[in-house]
Amino acid sequence: MNIKLPAVRPHAIFACVLASAGLFAAHAAHAKGNDQLVRLINAYRAAPPSCGGSQVRPRAPLAAHPALARVKVAAGTFLDQAIEQAGYQAAKAEAIYVAGPPDAPAVMASIEAKYCNSLLNPDFSDIGAIRSGDTWLIVLATAAPPPAINLLPDPETAGKAVLEAVNAARATPRNCGARYFPAARSVSWNAFLGHAALTHSRDMAATRDFSHKGKDGSNAAERARQAGYRWLRVGENIASGQTSPEEVVAGWLTSPGHCENIMNNAFTEMGAGYAVDRSRKVPRAYWTQVFAAPR
């Protein structure tokens, strides 16, 4: 029996960091979006005057986003936190705070020259304008792309993408740490091993326990047998935090133990899968890859 069970340590996945415009004091009363001010800003972008002495080409209109019209920024709160609390995930954001103007045209007159670079910034796509008494908050932002983990295909499709990347790696001789491996034959997909891999990934995601040992005490060989696979030898790689099949295989190849499993010519079949723990603030994927040769 040949059982090899290396593991990749989990690594953190960090979301985009917002460009904060600083701290803003907000009126305690509920602030409502001001459609007139949004229209005036878009008219300004459509036919901009000079900005800082330079001519500017017309800009696309900003979309009024409901979440940005709900932003509340109090003393001690950063803009990025306030935008996130309002339900908007931003890649870039800026705010303009004005106190005193009685109406939207007066606000526009007070900001169009001083803040022309911000108002005409082509990187912004969304806007929220909030009025509370005689205080005004204009939030300009661009939404962050969806987390890469949300773009993953279903587990079987991702598992077969892992297979493709593994076979590409096996086609090339390489060193796994200090040990040299010649090119190996391709491995083929096995649905029983895929089921065993997916079961363990779901187990790790549910328990947040990054381990080759299942919550029932099982190991890779036992899980393969329980899935219906009669094996001669078994190997397992696990990883956590990666957001694509290509990333997880690339990580395994940099680790000698995982690399040895991938390059082991004695393995002829493979299954792989992932599961996501979405109970975290930042969801995390758990990956399992099971190699084997049948009896």
Side-chain angles (χ1 to χ4, degrees):
M1 179 174 67
N2 179 12
I3 304 174
K4 299 189 69 175
L5 308 172
V8 169
R9 291 185 179 180
H11 68 268
I13 305 172
F14 296 96
C16 296
V17 178
L18 292 170
S20 175
L23 296 173
F24 297 86
H27 195 280
H30 176 69
K32 295 184 178 180
N34 191 292
D35 294 339
Q36 184 185 14
L37 183 53
V38 171
R39 289 195 298 270
L40 289 172
I41 290 172
N42 278 332
Y44 176 76
R45 286 171 64 92
S50 63
C51 178
S54 301
Q55 290 299 315
V56 182
R57 290 182 297 177
R59 303 302 191 195
L62 300 169
H65 197 288
L68 296 180
R70 294 194 298 266
V71 173
K72 298 179 182 180
V73 187
T77 303
F78 286 100
L79 178 63
D80 58 348
Q81 297 172 327
I83 290 175
E84 185 174 345
Q85 289 169 0
Y88 186 98
Q89 297 296 321
K92 182 176 183 179
E94 189 172 339
I96 301 170
Y97 176 76
V98 185
D103 54 30
V107 173
M108 197 67 212
S110 71
I111 66 174
E112 64 180 24
K114 184 176 181 181
Y115 296 101
C116 64
N117 285 320
S118 298
L119 294 171
L120 298 172
N121 191 331
D123 293 338
F124 292 130
S125 59
D126 298 327
I127 185 171
I130 307 109
R131 179 180 184 179
S132 179
D134 62 353
T135 64
W136 305 72
L137 182 67
I138 302 161
V139 182
L140 308 166
T142 296
I149 199 168
N150 290 352
L151 303 178
L152 278 168
D154 64 88
E156 182 173 335
T157 301
K160 290 182 178 178
V162 169
L163 173 72
E164 183 178 349
V166 162
N167 282 333
R170 285 168 70 92
T172 304
R174 70 184 63 245
N175 287 316
C176 295
R179 187 177 176 188
Y180 172 78
F181 282 82
R185 296 184 299 274
S186 294
V187 289
S188 59
W189 180 261
N190 182 277
F192 295 115
L193 297 177
H195 177 73
L198 181 58
T199 297
H200 189 53
S201 288
R202 287 174 173 169
D203 187 16
M204 290 191 290
T207 61
R208 294 189 179 183
D209 184 15
F210 183 70
S211 171
H212 287 287
K213 186 177 182 180
K215 64 183 178 183
D216 60 356
S218 64
N219 60 33
E222 291 165 336
R223 289 188 292 271
R225 186 180 296 111
Q226 290 166 5
Y229 189 92
R230 290 172 55 83
W231 50 264
L232 180 64
R233 56 181 60 85
V234 175
E236 180 180 82
N237 288 343
I238 61 174
S240 174
Q242 295 79 7
T243 57
S244 74
E246 295 74 20
E247 182 186 359
V248 74
V249 174
W252 281 329
L253 288 172
T254 63
S255 170
H258 301 86
C259 179
E260 289 182 13
N261 270 350
I262 289 174
M263 296 302 296
N264 190 335
N265 202 35
F267 292 135
T268 59
E269 296 181 308
M270 194 203 87
Y274 75 91
V276 179
D277 174 11
R278 296 193 180 276
S279 65
R280 300 170 179 264
K281 185 175 181 180
V282 178
R284 176 177 289 271
Y286 290 82
W287 298 82
T288 305
Q289 173 185 52
V290 183
F291 289 100
R295 184 176 297 278

